[in-house]
Amino acid sequence: MGGGCNIMGAFSGGGGGGGAGVWTELADKSVTGVATITSDAFTAMRYLKVFLAVYDWDGTGNADHIVQLDSVTASNYAVMEIYGNGSGGADWNQRINQDGLYIISGGGIPTVNTFTEAYVYNEENVEKLWISSSCRSQQVGSGYAPTAAFYFGKLDQDAQVTSLHYDFTGGGSVTGTADARMIIWGSD
């Protein structure tokens, strides 16, 4: 589980705090039949890479998944979102003074089988920057493109992030449970 796996990354060993060029696994957590997942506390590192998967959702309704860094729920988040679904087109949304980073929004679409990959700039004494992409299976078959979204967000917090909380019920706006997995890697 956490802490034992290194994978090669995109950082050079040169200046600028690039470190040794590897991502170190900081947390790996899987849950079954729940509505949220929270990582174990991990060692703060300058860069974070996150993989989030939610599958076997048994609920109904439309929900925004919410990611909260260090479980901060105050109105300390802002995000720019680009969102599109299999019918084509895309929408831009700006969300400010939010209680988390909302993932895969848009009405009329049940939350099922969502996969998110994210990067966090986790420097101390600066806002935490979040860049991620997500996709969700909306309709089965190769004749339908998945719903997709891209996020550019930030958390107004000086301290380095040492845990992630992921809520796939829209903060309680819908009911249901799912299986989920969260893996977090870090690099200095």
Side-chain angles (χ1 to χ4, degrees):
M1 294 287 161
C5 178
N6 291 327
I7 59 175
M8 290 306 296
F11 300 125
S12 71
V22 297
W23 290 100
T24 301
E25 185 178 291
L26 302 175
D28 184 344
K29 187 168 187 177
S30 295
V31 294
T32 303
V34 298
T36 64
I37 183 172
T38 303
S39 73
D40 295 330
F42 53 81
T43 301
M45 298 187 90
R46 190 175 196 183
Y47 309 101
L48 302 177
K49 177 180 172 68
V50 182
F51 171 75
L52 306 167
V54 177
Y55 46 94
D56 293 335
W57 170 256
D58 68 5
T60 58
N62 306 312
D64 294 325
H65 293 189
I66 302 171
V67 177
Q68 294 164 326
L69 310 175
D70 284 341
S71 296
V72 172
T73 59
S75 298
N76 292 14
Y77 298 88
V79 66
M80 178 59 75
E81 166 190 81
I82 306 167
Y83 171 87
N85 61 31
S87 63
D91 292 320
W92 288 80
N93 294 308
Q94 177 179 260
R95 299 169 185 252
I96 59 173
N97 300 317
Q98 297 291 299
D99 61 351
L101 297 167
Y102 286 73
I103 306 298
I104 296 282
S105 68
I109 302 168
T111 303
V112 294
N113 297 338
T114 302
F115 300 94
T116 300
E117 180 179 46
Y119 295 89
V120 180
Y121 180 58
N122 195 28
E123 183 74 37
E124 190 171 18
N125 297 319
V126 298
E127 294 179 318
K128 307 306 165 257
L129 299 176
W130 171 279
I131 299 173
S132 70
S133 58
S134 297
C135 70
R136 169 174 59 209
S137 175
Q138 182 178 349
Q139 294 177 294
V140 176
S142 62
Y144 302 95
T147 299
F150 302 92
Y151 305 90
F152 308 93
K154 65 180 184 175
L155 168 62
D156 184 14
Q157 171 176 297
D158 285 340
Q160 286 184 290
V161 173
T162 59
S163 71
L164 290 181
H165 174 75
Y166 186 48
D167 181 337
F168 34 92
T169 68
S173 63
V174 298
T175 59
T177 62
D179 300 343
R181 184 171 184 190
M182 178 190 306
I183 306 172
I184 304 166
W185 295 274
S187 181
D188 280 332

